[in-house]
Amino acid sequence: MKRKWYVAFLAVLFLAFVGAGNASAAIQVNDEMSTFAKGNENLHPPDVMPPQ
Amino acid sequence: MNVGSIVKYYRMKNNLTQAELCEGICSISHLSKIESNKYVPHEETLDELFARMNVEWNQELDVYHTYREKLEKFITYSVYYDLKSMEVLYEELEQKKDYLQSTDLVNRYELYKLRFYLIQQDRQKATQQMQILSRLDQTFDEYERGAAKVFYFIYYVFVQEEAKAREIAGRLEDRNGRVPQLFEGEFYYQNAWLMQRNTEYGQSSYFAELAINQFQKDCNYLRLMHAQMLQAVNFANRDLFLQAEELFKTLLRNARLMDEASLYEGVLYNYSMLQNRRGHHNSAYMLLKELKSLMTPEEPLYTSVLIHMLQTASEEGLEMDHLLEELEVLARGKDDPYIAIQLTYFRKKKFSQHDLFDYCEQIAFPFLKEHGYIGEARRFAWRLANYHRSIGNFEKADAYAIYFYEKGEKMT
């Protein structure tokens, strides 16, 4: 009986872990991507640059 | 100093043949060797030759040294970005063009003119000057070789031939033609400028910091502000918000004190973008309001400022009607679909949410995506994704979310 409760507890923990993974797939800002646009792609409005 | 070239210059100026000039003083072949700088004449010979042409040799030496100093002043003005003084001295040197081109000052004269044309952003004259210098560069000394490489680097950055620019920058670390100390700060600055144009903000930061340190050492205050502006934008784009803000505040103060109106306006604009990125929309709005008060509607940046004010006001829930009216007046004068889309978007925002999101989905988002306004397209994608999620359209929500991620930019 104790063993069954223990396995059930581990299963719940596992499912909670997986569940947390799913929750984090909701729309969030992705902090790992970097800005590295080249060419015409205007990733954000251009800054005003000082004179060359 | 090549005195022979000066003898030849005055002989030509006096319309004398070699025979006429040297008669009774020396032989024609002797004079020919003097004029081609193969032979250094005795002082008595020089005195007699110049006396025949009514030229005082001592005075001539003074003239030579004066123009040598003027050339060094000319390039120093460029280093310290004293554009007005540079223009005045350019005219003066142009008056003496024939003389300068006949002496051994010709190399520096032509080199420094390249720098001048680059500061003036005169592509045609700069390109012509590059051709002139390609014929002279075999005679450059070590300093002139180093200076030439720095100016060629600036030229290729200016005309956007990046591969050539980077090749020269790489070679500048060689033993042949190291960067002269006078141009060290400028070299770092140009590297930082190039990297930033390519949105390589980390690399740009590295060079901007080197430029800042060098300009501080040289008390080169105007160029220091330019380098600090570059650095502040780098920090803002790397999300180093506090560091960026510190630099922007310093720049606002110093640009105002030094009466640098154009720089001051640029800082206001960039600082307002930073504040918007951080969600400090009220602060961004005040900065944009000040900027708008300093500009006239004819300026190219004015429309951008107006649109940013509308976006900021909308985030903060501020009054927008007067801004919308102004944008309408501007839009009538220009046939620009981007302005038309912004106008419709903000008008619809006042009324129906449903209408607004329909408009975003059917018109605004496709337009922005197609014409490369990717940052704005992502913002619209984010809002559309949340909107569709809120009304249970998970398929559409996911599609917009995927677009947002695929374009891969940090957004706050």
Side-chain angles (χ1 to χ4, degrees), chain A residues 27-31 33-38 40-52, chain B residues 81 154 157 189-190 193 196 199 223 226 233 237 269-270 273 372 374-375 382 405 408-409 411:
Chain A
I27 296 169
Q28 279 179 12
V29 173
N30 183 337
D31 289 322
M33 298 206 189
S34 63
T35 307
F36 215 91
K38 291 198 180 186
N40 289 328
E41 285 218 341
N42 167 15
L43 279 198
H44 49 83
D47 304 291
V48 173
M49 285 175 74
Q52 187 205 351
Chain B
Y81 226 74
I154 299 173
V157 172
Y189 179 83
Q190 294 291 331
W193 203 91
Q196 198 187 87
T199 67
R223 242 11 196 159
H226 295 162
V233 170
N237 287 315
Y269 187 86
N270 292 337
M273 304 250 282
I374 305 298
W382 174 270
Y405 280 112
E409 185 200 359
M411 270 184 72

mmCIF file of all heavy atoms in Angstrom, chain A residues 27-31 33-38 40-52, chain B residues 81 154 157 189-190 193 196 199 223 226 233 237 269-270 273 372 374-375 382 405 408-409 411:
data_model
loop_
_atom_site.group_PDB
_atom_site.id
_atom_site.type_symbol
_atom_site.label_atom_id
_atom_site.label_comp_id
_atom_site.label_asym_id
_atom_site.label_seq_id
_atom_site.Cartn_x
_atom_site.Cartn_y
_atom_site.Cartn_z
ATOM 1 N N ILE A 27 2.323 32.054 -24.451
ATOM 2 C CA ILE A 27 3.090 33.125 -25.078
ATOM 3 C C ILE A 27 3.901 33.893 -24.035
ATOM 4 O O ILE A 27 3.356 34.486 -23.111
ATOM 5 C CB ILE A 27 2.161 34.092 -25.813
ATOM 6 C CG1 ILE A 27 1.484 33.334 -26.961
ATOM 7 C CG2 ILE A 27 2.934 35.271 -26.391
ATOM 8 C CD1 ILE A 27 0.372 34.089 -27.593
ATOM 9 N N GLN A 28 5.185 33.855 -24.173
ATOM 10 C CA GLN A 28 6.087 34.595 -23.285
ATOM 11 C C GLN A 28 7.215 35.165 -24.132
ATOM 12 O O GLN A 28 7.484 34.675 -25.218
ATOM 13 C CB GLN A 28 6.702 33.645 -22.251
ATOM 14 C CG GLN A 28 5.799 33.346 -21.085
ATOM 15 C CD GLN A 28 6.477 32.383 -20.133
ATOM 16 O OE1 GLN A 28 7.661 32.121 -20.219
ATOM 17 N NE2 GLN A 28 5.708 31.832 -19.213
ATOM 18 N N VAL A 29 7.872 36.176 -23.597
ATOM 19 C CA VAL A 29 9.038 36.723 -24.287
ATOM 20 C C VAL A 29 10.151 35.691 -24.241
ATOM 21 O O VAL A 29 10.428 35.112 -23.208
ATOM 22 C CB VAL A 29 9.509 38.017 -23.592
ATOM 23 C CG1 VAL A 29 10.814 38.494 -24.186
ATOM 24 C CG2 VAL A 29 8.450 39.095 -23.701
ATOM 25 N N ASN A 30 10.766 35.423 -25.379
ATOM 26 C CA ASN A 30 11.873 34.470 -25.437
ATOM 27 C C ASN A 30 13.173 35.213 -25.186
ATOM 28 O O ASN A 30 13.634 35.986 -26.006
ATOM 29 C CB ASN A 30 11.893 33.822 -26.824
ATOM 30 C CG ASN A 30 12.965 32.767 -26.917
ATOM 31 O OD1 ASN A 30 13.931 32.797 -26.171
ATOM 32 N ND2 ASN A 30 12.791 31.837 -27.814
ATOM 33 N N ASP A 31 13.774 35.012 -23.993
ATOM 34 C CA ASP A 31 14.944 35.792 -23.620
ATOM 35 C C ASP A 31 16.227 35.298 -24.256
ATOM 36 O O ASP A 31 17.269 35.914 -24.103
ATOM 37 C CB ASP A 31 15.109 35.759 -22.086
ATOM 38 C CG ASP A 31 14.025 36.568 -21.406
ATOM 39 O OD1 ASP A 31 13.665 37.609 -21.935
ATOM 40 O OD2 ASP A 31 13.536 36.131 -20.365
ATOM 41 N N MET A 33 16.796 34.610 -27.521
ATOM 42 C CA MET A 33 17.088 35.009 -28.899
ATOM 43 C C MET A 33 17.817 36.332 -28.917
ATOM 44 O O MET A 33 17.594 37.187 -28.082
ATOM 45 C CB MET A 33 15.803 35.111 -29.687
ATOM 46 C CG MET A 33 15.094 33.806 -29.775
ATOM 47 S SD MET A 33 14.070 33.712 -31.207
ATOM 48 C CE MET A 33 13.195 32.214 -30.894
ATOM 49 N N SER A 34 18.669 36.483 -29.898
ATOM 50 C CA SER A 34 19.448 37.724 -29.952
ATOM 51 C C SER A 34 19.047 38.540 -31.168
ATOM 52 O O SER A 34 18.507 38.018 -32.125
ATOM 53 C CB SER A 34 20.929 37.398 -30.023
ATOM 54 O OG SER A 34 21.193 36.690 -31.199
ATOM 55 N N THR A 35 19.302 39.810 -31.119
ATOM 56 C CA THR A 35 18.994 40.679 -32.244
ATOM 57 C C THR A 35 20.193 40.694 -33.174
ATOM 58 O O THR A 35 21.288 41.022 -32.757
ATOM 59 C CB THR A 35 18.746 42.109 -31.734
ATOM 60 O OG1 THR A 35 17.769 42.054 -30.726
ATOM 61 C CG2 THR A 35 18.282 42.991 -32.858
ATOM 62 N N PHE A 36 19.982 40.307 -34.397
ATOM 63 C CA PHE A 36 21.108 40.304 -35.325
ATOM 64 C C PHE A 36 20.595 40.496 -36.755
ATOM 65 O O PHE A 36 20.827 39.671 -37.617
ATOM 66 C CB PHE A 36 21.860 38.979 -35.204
ATOM 67 C CG PHE A 36 23.334 39.146 -35.387
ATOM 68 C CD1 PHE A 36 24.156 39.388 -34.286
ATOM 69 C CD2 PHE A 36 23.917 39.107 -36.637
ATOM 70 C CE1 PHE A 36 25.520 39.545 -34.454
ATOM 71 C CE2 PHE A 36 25.280 39.270 -36.809
ATOM 72 C CZ PHE A 36 26.080 39.474 -35.703
ATOM 73 N N ALA A 37 19.845 41.568 -36.926
ATOM 74 C CA ALA A 37 19.228 41.761 -38.246
ATOM 75 C C ALA A 37 20.236 42.340 -39.216
ATOM 76 O O ALA A 37 21.037 43.175 -38.866
ATOM 77 C CB ALA A 37 18.052 42.712 -38.113
ATOM 78 N N LYS A 38 20.162 41.907 -40.441
ATOM 79 C CA LYS A 38 21.004 42.506 -41.479
ATOM 80 C C LYS A 38 20.094 42.842 -42.661
ATOM 81 O O LYS A 38 18.955 42.433 -42.739
ATOM 82 C CB LYS A 38 22.064 41.517 -41.923
ATOM 83 C CG LYS A 38 23.069 41.291 -40.833
ATOM 84 C CD LYS A 38 24.341 40.684 -41.343
ATOM 85 C CE LYS A 38 25.227 40.527 -40.109
ATOM 86 N NZ LYS A 38 26.512 40.120 -40.263
ATOM 87 N N ASN A 40 17.634 44.553 -45.256
ATOM 88 C CA ASN A 40 16.499 45.468 -45.150
ATOM 89 C C ASN A 40 15.582 45.184 -43.993
ATOM 90 O O ASN A 40 14.688 45.952 -43.717
ATOM 91 C CB ASN A 40 15.685 45.418 -46.447
ATOM 92 C CG ASN A 40 16.445 46.073 -47.574
ATOM 93 O OD1 ASN A 40 17.194 46.995 -47.331
ATOM 94 N ND2 ASN A 40 16.293 45.576 -48.776
ATOM 95 N N GLU A 41 15.779 44.059 -43.342
ATOM 96 C CA GLU A 41 14.841 43.712 -42.275
ATOM 97 C C GLU A 41 14.979 44.686 -41.122
ATOM 98 O O GLU A 41 16.018 44.796 -40.490
ATOM 99 C CB GLU A 41 15.107 42.283 -41.798
ATOM 100 C CG GLU A 41 14.594 41.243 -42.786
ATOM 101 C CD GLU A 41 13.987 40.039 -42.076
ATOM 102 O OE1 GLU A 41 14.273 39.844 -40.905
ATOM 103 O OE2 GLU A 41 13.245 39.318 -42.725
ATOM 104 N N ASN A 42 13.900 45.346 -40.836
ATOM 105 C CA ASN A 42 13.889 46.390 -39.827
ATOM 106 C C ASN A 42 13.293 45.795 -38.562
ATOM 107 O O ASN A 42 12.098 45.815 -38.363
ATOM 108 C CB ASN A 42 13.054 47.544 -40.390
ATOM 109 C CG ASN A 42 12.688 48.552 -39.341
ATOM 110 O OD1 ASN A 42 13.258 48.558 -38.259
ATOM 111 N ND2 ASN A 42 11.719 49.373 -39.635
ATOM 112 N N LEU A 43 14.164 45.181 -37.720
ATOM 113 C CA LEU A 43 13.651 44.493 -36.544
ATOM 114 C C LEU A 43 13.074 45.447 -35.528
ATOM 115 O O LEU A 43 12.242 45.096 -34.737
ATOM 116 C CB LEU A 43 14.748 43.662 -35.876
ATOM 117 C CG LEU A 43 15.029 42.303 -36.496
ATOM 118 C CD1 LEU A 43 15.774 41.428 -35.509
ATOM 119 C CD2 LEU A 43 13.757 41.603 -36.887
ATOM 120 N N HIS A 44 13.571 46.632 -35.484
ATOM 121 C CA HIS A 44 12.965 47.645 -34.634
ATOM 122 C C HIS A 44 13.262 48.995 -35.269
ATOM 123 O O HIS A 44 14.147 49.097 -36.108
ATOM 124 C CB HIS A 44 13.500 47.576 -33.195
ATOM 125 C CG HIS A 44 14.984 47.515 -33.119
ATOM 126 N ND1 HIS A 44 15.798 48.609 -33.182
ATOM 127 C CD2 HIS A 44 15.816 46.469 -32.983
ATOM 128 C CE1 HIS A 44 17.054 48.234 -33.101
ATOM 129 N NE2 HIS A 44 17.096 46.945 -32.968
ATOM 130 N N PRO A 45 12.523 50.026 -34.886
ATOM 131 C CA PRO A 45 12.722 51.308 -35.564
ATOM 132 C C PRO A 45 14.182 51.727 -35.474
ATOM 133 O O PRO A 45 14.808 51.577 -34.427
ATOM 134 C CB PRO A 45 11.826 52.271 -34.776
ATOM 135 C CG PRO A 45 10.858 51.423 -34.064
ATOM 136 C CD PRO A 45 11.510 50.105 -33.837
ATOM 137 N N PRO A 46 14.732 52.232 -36.583
ATOM 138 C CA PRO A 46 16.153 52.584 -36.571
ATOM 139 C C PRO A 46 16.431 53.710 -35.594
ATOM 140 O O PRO A 46 15.627 54.609 -35.425
ATOM 141 C CB PRO A 46 16.430 53.025 -38.000
ATOM 142 C CG PRO A 46 15.111 53.352 -38.588
ATOM 143 C CD PRO A 46 14.102 52.525 -37.864
ATOM 144 N N ASP A 47 17.598 53.632 -34.930
ATOM 145 C CA ASP A 47 18.022 54.696 -34.044
ATOM 146 C C ASP A 47 18.607 55.825 -34.880
ATOM 147 O O ASP A 47 19.044 55.600 -36.006
ATOM 148 C CB ASP A 47 19.111 54.176 -33.097
ATOM 149 C CG ASP A 47 18.633 52.971 -32.328
ATOM 150 O OD1 ASP A 47 17.752 53.153 -31.480
ATOM 151 O OD2 ASP A 47 19.120 51.861 -32.597
ATOM 152 N N VAL A 48 18.627 57.017 -34.283
ATOM 153 C CA VAL A 48 19.305 58.134 -34.923
ATOM 154 C C VAL A 48 20.790 57.991 -34.603
ATOM 155 O O VAL A 48 21.173 57.943 -33.433
ATOM 156 C CB VAL A 48 18.762 59.477 -34.386
ATOM 157 C CG1 VAL A 48 19.581 60.628 -34.913
ATOM 158 C CG2 VAL A 48 17.298 59.640 -34.783
ATOM 159 N N MET A 49 21.612 57.911 -35.638
ATOM 160 C CA MET A 49 23.046 57.716 -35.400
ATOM 161 C C MET A 49 23.776 59.043 -35.420
ATOM 162 O O MET A 49 23.387 59.957 -36.143
ATOM 163 C CB MET A 49 23.615 56.778 -36.472
ATOM 164 C CG MET A 49 23.211 55.335 -36.221
ATOM 165 S SD MET A 49 23.720 54.212 -37.498
ATOM 166 C CE MET A 49 25.478 54.062 -37.223
ATOM 167 N N PRO A 50 24.887 59.155 -34.691
ATOM 168 C CA PRO A 50 25.708 60.360 -34.793
ATOM 169 C C PRO A 50 26.385 60.382 -36.160
ATOM 170 O O PRO A 50 26.383 59.370 -36.862
ATOM 171 C CB PRO A 50 26.737 60.172 -33.670
ATOM 172 C CG PRO A 50 26.807 58.704 -33.447
ATOM 173 C CD PRO A 50 25.447 58.159 -33.764
ATOM 174 N N PRO A 51 26.997 61.499 -36.548
ATOM 175 C CA PRO A 51 27.590 61.569 -37.890
ATOM 176 C C PRO A 51 28.769 60.617 -38.021
ATOM 177 O O PRO A 51 29.482 60.360 -37.045
ATOM 178 C CB PRO A 51 28.063 63.023 -37.997
ATOM 179 C CG PRO A 51 28.137 63.532 -36.618
ATOM 180 C CD PRO A 51 27.137 62.781 -35.813
ATOM 181 N N GLN A 52 28.918 60.077 -39.236
ATOM 182 C CA GLN A 52 30.070 59.229 -39.461
ATOM 183 C C GLN A 52 31.349 60.097 -39.501
ATOM 184 O O GLN A 52 32.347 59.751 -38.984
ATOM 185 C CB GLN A 52 29.943 58.495 -40.808
ATOM 186 C CG GLN A 52 31.047 57.478 -40.970
ATOM 187 C CD GLN A 52 31.391 57.149 -42.423
ATOM 188 O OE1 GLN A 52 30.703 57.556 -43.363
ATOM 189 N NE2 GLN A 52 32.466 56.438 -42.649
ATOM 190 N N TYR B 81 36.705 67.619 -35.308
ATOM 191 C CA TYR B 81 35.389 67.870 -35.905
ATOM 192 C C TYR B 81 35.036 69.351 -35.893
ATOM 193 O O TYR B 81 33.877 69.729 -35.697
ATOM 194 C CB TYR B 81 34.305 67.044 -35.194
ATOM 195 C CG TYR B 81 33.382 66.374 -36.186
ATOM 196 C CD1 TYR B 81 33.803 65.281 -36.927
ATOM 197 C CD2 TYR B 81 32.091 66.853 -36.413
ATOM 198 C CE1 TYR B 81 32.988 64.688 -37.858
ATOM 199 C CE2 TYR B 81 31.259 66.261 -37.338
ATOM 200 C CZ TYR B 81 31.699 65.181 -38.051
ATOM 201 O OH TYR B 81 30.871 64.582 -38.974
ATOM 202 N N ILE B 154 37.563 54.773 -43.883
ATOM 203 C CA ILE B 154 36.397 55.638 -43.721
ATOM 204 C C ILE B 154 35.639 55.730 -45.048
ATOM 205 O O ILE B 154 34.401 55.695 -45.080
ATOM 206 C CB ILE B 154 36.809 57.048 -43.241
ATOM 207 C CG1 ILE B 154 37.514 56.960 -41.885
ATOM 208 C CG2 ILE B 154 35.606 57.974 -43.143
ATOM 209 C CD1 ILE B 154 38.118 58.262 -41.394
ATOM 210 N N VAL B 157 33.605 52.515 -45.698
ATOM 211 C CA VAL B 157 32.449 52.491 -44.807
ATOM 212 C C VAL B 157 31.379 53.428 -45.365
ATOM 213 O O VAL B 157 30.202 53.078 -45.419
ATOM 214 C CB VAL B 157 32.836 52.913 -43.368
ATOM 215 C CG1 VAL B 157 31.597 53.064 -42.497
ATOM 216 C CG2 VAL B 157 33.790 51.919 -42.742
ATOM 217 N N TYR B 189 36.353 54.771 -33.619
ATOM 218 C CA TYR B 189 35.003 55.296 -33.810
ATOM 219 C C TYR B 189 34.393 54.736 -35.092
ATOM 220 O O TYR B 189 33.232 54.308 -35.105
ATOM 221 C CB TYR B 189 35.035 56.828 -33.865
ATOM 222 C CG TYR B 189 33.681 57.451 -34.085
ATOM 223 C CD1 TYR B 189 32.805 57.651 -33.017
ATOM 224 C CD2 TYR B 189 33.258 57.836 -35.353
ATOM 225 C CE1 TYR B 189 31.551 58.204 -33.218
ATOM 226 C CE2 TYR B 189 32.012 58.391 -35.564
ATOM 227 C CZ TYR B 189 31.163 58.581 -34.490
ATOM 228 O OH TYR B 189 29.918 59.131 -34.694
ATOM 229 N N GLN B 190 35.165 54.750 -36.175
ATOM 230 C CA GLN B 190 34.642 54.273 -37.465
ATOM 231 C C GLN B 190 34.293 52.785 -37.387
ATOM 232 O O GLN B 190 33.298 52.343 -37.962
ATOM 233 C CB GLN B 190 35.667 54.527 -38.584
ATOM 234 C CG GLN B 190 35.923 55.997 -38.859
ATOM 235 C CD GLN B 190 34.726 56.695 -39.480
ATOM 236 O OE1 GLN B 190 33.926 56.078 -40.181
ATOM 237 N NE2 GLN B 190 34.593 57.992 -39.240
ATOM 238 N N TRP B 193 31.065 52.560 -35.543
ATOM 239 C CA TRP B 193 29.972 53.050 -36.398
ATOM 240 C C TRP B 193 29.550 51.973 -37.385
ATOM 241 O O TRP B 193 28.361 51.716 -37.587
ATOM 242 C CB TRP B 193 30.464 54.304 -37.129
ATOM 243 C CG TRP B 193 29.385 55.214 -37.602
ATOM 244 C CD1 TRP B 193 28.835 56.274 -36.940
ATOM 245 C CD2 TRP B 193 28.725 55.166 -38.868
ATOM 246 N NE1 TRP B 193 27.868 56.884 -37.696
ATOM 247 C CE2 TRP B 193 27.784 56.224 -38.887
ATOM 248 C CE3 TRP B 193 28.825 54.339 -39.983
ATOM 249 C CZ2 TRP B 193 26.959 56.479 -39.979
ATOM 250 C CZ3 TRP B 193 27.991 54.586 -41.072
ATOM 251 C CH2 TRP B 193 27.074 55.650 -41.058
ATOM 252 N N GLN B 196 27.746 49.096 -35.666
ATOM 253 C CA GLN B 196 26.396 49.447 -35.253
ATOM 254 C C GLN B 196 25.457 49.476 -36.451
ATOM 255 O O GLN B 196 24.308 49.060 -36.346
ATOM 256 C CB GLN B 196 26.359 50.792 -34.540
ATOM 257 C CG GLN B 196 25.077 50.924 -33.749
ATOM 258 C CD GLN B 196 24.898 52.281 -33.148
ATOM 259 O OE1 GLN B 196 24.370 53.187 -33.767
ATOM 260 N NE2 GLN B 196 25.339 52.413 -31.925
ATOM 261 N N THR B 199 24.104 46.295 -36.942
ATOM 262 C CA THR B 199 23.435 45.825 -35.716
ATOM 263 C C THR B 199 24.286 44.815 -34.937
ATOM 264 O O THR B 199 23.741 43.975 -34.224
ATOM 265 C CB THR B 199 22.031 45.227 -36.007
ATOM 266 O OG1 THR B 199 22.166 44.026 -36.763
ATOM 267 C CG2 THR B 199 21.169 46.207 -36.761
ATOM 268 N N ARG B 223 33.790 64.768 -30.627
ATOM 269 C CA ARG B 223 33.851 63.367 -31.065
ATOM 270 C C ARG B 223 33.545 62.428 -29.885
ATOM 271 O O ARG B 223 32.975 61.355 -30.076
ATOM 272 C CB ARG B 223 35.244 63.066 -31.620
ATOM 273 C CG ARG B 223 35.414 62.651 -33.078
ATOM 274 C CD ARG B 223 34.288 62.789 -33.983
ATOM 275 N NE ARG B 223 34.488 62.025 -35.210
ATOM 276 C CZ ARG B 223 33.510 61.634 -36.016
ATOM 277 N NH1 ARG B 223 32.264 61.923 -35.711
ATOM 278 N NH2 ARG B 223 33.763 60.959 -37.126
ATOM 279 N N HIS B 226 29.920 62.031 -29.826
ATOM 280 C CA HIS B 226 29.466 61.135 -30.885
ATOM 281 C C HIS B 226 29.672 59.679 -30.462
ATOM 282 O O HIS B 226 28.795 58.832 -30.656
ATOM 283 C CB HIS B 226 30.227 61.409 -32.185
ATOM 284 C CG HIS B 226 29.954 62.765 -32.765
ATOM 285 N ND1 HIS B 226 30.763 63.359 -33.704
ATOM 286 C CD2 HIS B 226 28.955 63.656 -32.533
ATOM 287 C CE1 HIS B 226 30.281 64.537 -34.031
ATOM 288 N NE2 HIS B 226 29.184 64.748 -33.335
ATOM 289 N N VAL B 233 23.348 53.887 -27.658
ATOM 290 C CA VAL B 233 22.445 53.107 -28.516
ATOM 291 C C VAL B 233 22.801 51.620 -28.431
ATOM 292 O O VAL B 233 21.913 50.765 -28.380
ATOM 293 C CB VAL B 233 22.513 53.618 -29.973
ATOM 294 C CG1 VAL B 233 21.790 52.687 -30.910
ATOM 295 C CG2 VAL B 233 21.926 55.015 -30.078
ATOM 296 N N ASN B 237 20.203 48.722 -27.137
ATOM 297 C CA ASN B 237 19.853 47.554 -27.949
ATOM 298 C C ASN B 237 20.316 46.234 -27.343
ATOM 299 O O ASN B 237 19.893 45.169 -27.772
ATOM 300 C CB ASN B 237 20.425 47.722 -29.362
ATOM 301 C CG ASN B 237 19.642 48.754 -30.149
ATOM 302 O OD1 ASN B 237 18.417 48.747 -30.129
ATOM 303 N ND2 ASN B 237 20.329 49.656 -30.806
ATOM 304 N N TYR B 269 15.481 61.584 -29.266
ATOM 305 C CA TYR B 269 14.778 60.525 -30.004
ATOM 306 C C TYR B 269 15.183 59.148 -29.494
ATOM 307 O O TYR B 269 14.328 58.315 -29.159
ATOM 308 C CB TYR B 269 15.089 60.654 -31.500
ATOM 309 C CG TYR B 269 14.283 59.721 -32.375
ATOM 310 C CD1 TYR B 269 13.019 60.083 -32.818
ATOM 311 C CD2 TYR B 269 14.775 58.484 -32.745
ATOM 312 C CE1 TYR B 269 12.266 59.226 -33.615
ATOM 313 C CE2 TYR B 269 14.045 57.626 -33.543
ATOM 314 C CZ TYR B 269 12.789 58.001 -33.984
ATOM 315 O OH TYR B 269 12.051 57.155 -34.760
ATOM 316 N N ASN B 270 16.493 58.903 -29.423
ATOM 317 C CA ASN B 270 16.975 57.577 -29.008
ATOM 318 C C ASN B 270 16.594 57.275 -27.553
ATOM 319 O O ASN B 270 16.234 56.154 -27.220
ATOM 320 C CB ASN B 270 18.491 57.488 -29.169
ATOM 321 C CG ASN B 270 18.916 57.503 -30.633
ATOM 322 O OD1 ASN B 270 18.134 57.160 -31.513
ATOM 323 N ND2 ASN B 270 20.142 57.907 -30.893
ATOM 324 N N MET B 273 13.030 56.196 -27.324
ATOM 325 C CA MET B 273 12.854 54.795 -27.748
ATOM 326 C C MET B 273 13.229 53.857 -26.612
ATOM 327 O O MET B 273 12.568 52.841 -26.378
ATOM 328 C CB MET B 273 13.764 54.494 -28.949
ATOM 329 C CG MET B 273 13.536 55.439 -30.100
ATOM 330 S SD MET B 273 12.779 54.597 -31.441
ATOM 331 C CE MET B 273 14.220 53.784 -32.067
ATOM 332 N N GLY B 372 8.896 45.054 -44.681
ATOM 333 C CA GLY B 372 10.111 44.975 -43.865
ATOM 334 C C GLY B 372 10.054 45.717 -42.543
ATOM 335 O O GLY B 372 11.082 45.916 -41.904
ATOM 336 N N ILE B 374 9.646 44.861 -39.623
ATOM 337 C CA ILE B 374 9.488 43.590 -38.891
ATOM 338 C C ILE B 374 9.216 43.836 -37.412
ATOM 339 O O ILE B 374 8.402 43.139 -36.797
ATOM 340 C CB ILE B 374 10.738 42.698 -39.067
ATOM 341 C CG1 ILE B 374 11.036 42.485 -40.558
ATOM 342 C CG2 ILE B 374 10.574 41.381 -38.352
ATOM 343 C CD1 ILE B 374 9.939 41.777 -41.318
ATOM 344 N N GLY B 375 9.892 44.843 -36.834
ATOM 345 C CA GLY B 375 9.669 45.136 -35.412
ATOM 346 C C GLY B 375 8.209 45.443 -35.141
ATOM 347 O O GLY B 375 7.590 44.910 -34.211
ATOM 348 N N TRP B 382 2.011 39.945 -31.821
ATOM 349 C CA TRP B 382 1.849 39.693 -30.377
ATOM 350 C C TRP B 382 0.438 40.010 -29.923
ATOM 351 O O TRP B 382 -0.226 39.217 -29.252
ATOM 352 C CB TRP B 382 2.887 40.553 -29.657
ATOM 353 C CG TRP B 382 2.828 40.568 -28.166
ATOM 354 C CD1 TRP B 382 2.117 41.431 -27.380
ATOM 355 C CD2 TRP B 382 3.500 39.691 -27.263
ATOM 356 N NE1 TRP B 382 2.325 41.153 -26.060
ATOM 357 C CE2 TRP B 382 3.166 40.097 -25.949
ATOM 358 C CE3 TRP B 382 4.363 38.614 -27.445
ATOM 359 C CZ2 TRP B 382 3.673 39.462 -24.828
ATOM 360 C CZ3 TRP B 382 4.862 37.975 -26.311
ATOM 361 C CH2 TRP B 382 4.509 38.397 -25.025
ATOM 362 N N TYR B 405 7.989 34.501 -32.707
ATOM 363 C CA TYR B 405 9.220 33.817 -32.299
ATOM 364 C C TYR B 405 10.209 33.708 -33.442
ATOM 365 O O TYR B 405 11.411 33.861 -33.262
ATOM 366 C CB TYR B 405 8.897 32.414 -31.762
ATOM 367 C CG TYR B 405 8.398 32.432 -30.333
ATOM 368 C CD1 TYR B 405 7.091 32.093 -30.022
ATOM 369 C CD2 TYR B 405 9.251 32.815 -29.302
ATOM 370 C CE1 TYR B 405 6.651 32.126 -28.723
ATOM 371 C CE2 TYR B 405 8.812 32.858 -27.995
ATOM 372 C CZ TYR B 405 7.503 32.507 -27.709
ATOM 373 O OH TYR B 405 7.062 32.544 -26.420
ATOM 374 N N GLY B 408 12.467 36.392 -33.908
ATOM 375 C CA GLY B 408 13.546 36.274 -32.930
ATOM 376 C C GLY B 408 14.109 37.540 -32.330
ATOM 377 O O GLY B 408 15.288 37.681 -32.126
ATOM 378 N N GLU B 409 13.302 38.518 -31.993
ATOM 379 C CA GLU B 409 13.883 39.695 -31.355
ATOM 380 C C GLU B 409 13.373 39.754 -29.928
ATOM 381 O O GLU B 409 12.266 39.360 -29.646
ATOM 382 C CB GLU B 409 13.460 40.947 -32.093
ATOM 383 C CG GLU B 409 14.122 42.191 -31.544
ATOM 384 C CD GLU B 409 13.372 43.448 -31.909
ATOM 385 O OE1 GLU B 409 12.373 43.342 -32.599
ATOM 386 O OE2 GLU B 409 13.782 44.519 -31.475
ATOM 387 N N MET B 411 11.563 41.547 -27.113
ATOM 388 C CA MET B 411 10.634 42.660 -26.985
ATOM 389 C C MET B 411 10.214 42.803 -25.548
ATOM 390 O O MET B 411 10.036 41.810 -24.862
ATOM 391 C CB MET B 411 9.383 42.406 -27.834
ATOM 392 C CG MET B 411 9.525 42.944 -29.259
ATOM 393 S SD MET B 411 8.024 42.746 -30.182
ATOM 394 C CE MET B 411 6.997 43.967 -29.423
#
